Amino acid sequence: QVQLVESGGGLVQTGDSLRLSCAASGRTFGNYAMGWFRQAPGKEREFVAAISWSGGSTYSADSVKGRFTISADNAKNTVYLQMNSLKPEDTAVYYCAADPTPRTMVSGRTYDYAYWGQGTQVTVSS
């Protein structure tokens, strides 16, 4: 059973930084892709960034390019999301997810991700 546990969320001010972590356990994740998604109140869950465990393929939403960076530490089975220059519109619950299907490119589609963490709240005050 795959388990994903997010941490690192919190309340910050505009322009601050946060680093989210996602600890994965229960399987060998070598062929998986890992993604970060977020969901703000009253809105649909949206893609943020994704990475292959090999680190050779990454993909980010336009809204976070240049501000957020996704990375993976294979030895620790942990995926990170470094978030810089945070804005109030980044406020959301952030979810880590795992896509077990080998693909040519990492996916940004919610329905491709079979496993999800419980989420961590990020609140950016203006």
Side-chain angles (χ1 to χ4, degrees), residues 46-57:
E46 66 173 3
F47 170 73
V48 176
I51 189 169
S52 59
W53 269 112
S54 68
S57 177

Side-chain angles (χ1 to χ4, degrees), residues 69-87:
T69 302
I70 189 170
S71 61
D73 185 333
N74 291 358
K76 296 182 178 180
N77 269 5
T78 300
V79 177
Y80 303 98
L81 184 68
Q82 178 66 45
M83 305 186 295
N84 299 329
S85 302
L86 283 161
K87 305 175 182 180

Side-chain angles (χ1 to χ4, degrees), residues 1-120:
Q1 183 71 14
V2 173
Q3 290 188 327
L4 305 175
V5 179
E6 303 98 333
S7 61
L11 172 63
V12 296
Q13 295 183 336
T14 298
D16 284 351
S17 298
L18 275 178
R19 188 177 79 159
L20 304 184
S21 300
C22 172
S25 62
R27 293 290 298 270
T28 299
F29 294 92
N31 294 324
Y32 283 41
M34 301 296 294
W36 285 98
F37 293 78
R38 66 186 181 186
Q39 188 166 18
K43 295 187 177 181
E44 292 187 354
R45 191 169 298 188
E46 66 173 3
F47 170 73
V48 176
I51 189 169
S52 59
W53 269 112
S54 68
S57 177
T58 61
Y59 174 42
S60 298
D62 289 343
S63 60
V64 305
K65 281 182 180 176
R67 300 189 299 123
F68 292 10
T69 302
I70 189 170
S71 61
D73 185 333
N74 291 358
K76 296 182 178 180
N77 269 5
T78 300
V79 177
Y80 303 98
L81 184 68
Q82 178 66 45
M83 305 186 295
N84 299 329
S85 302
L86 283 161
K87 305 175 182 180
E89 51 264 44
D90 295 318
T91 295
V93 177
Y94 282 71
Y95 297 91
C96 175
D99 174 8
T101 303
R103 304 182 194 278
T104 303
M105 295 179 62
V106 293
S107 170
R109 297 182 294 262
T110 305
Y111 54 80
D112 283 336
Y113 288 79
Y115 305 101
W116 293 83
Q118 83 289 349
T120 185

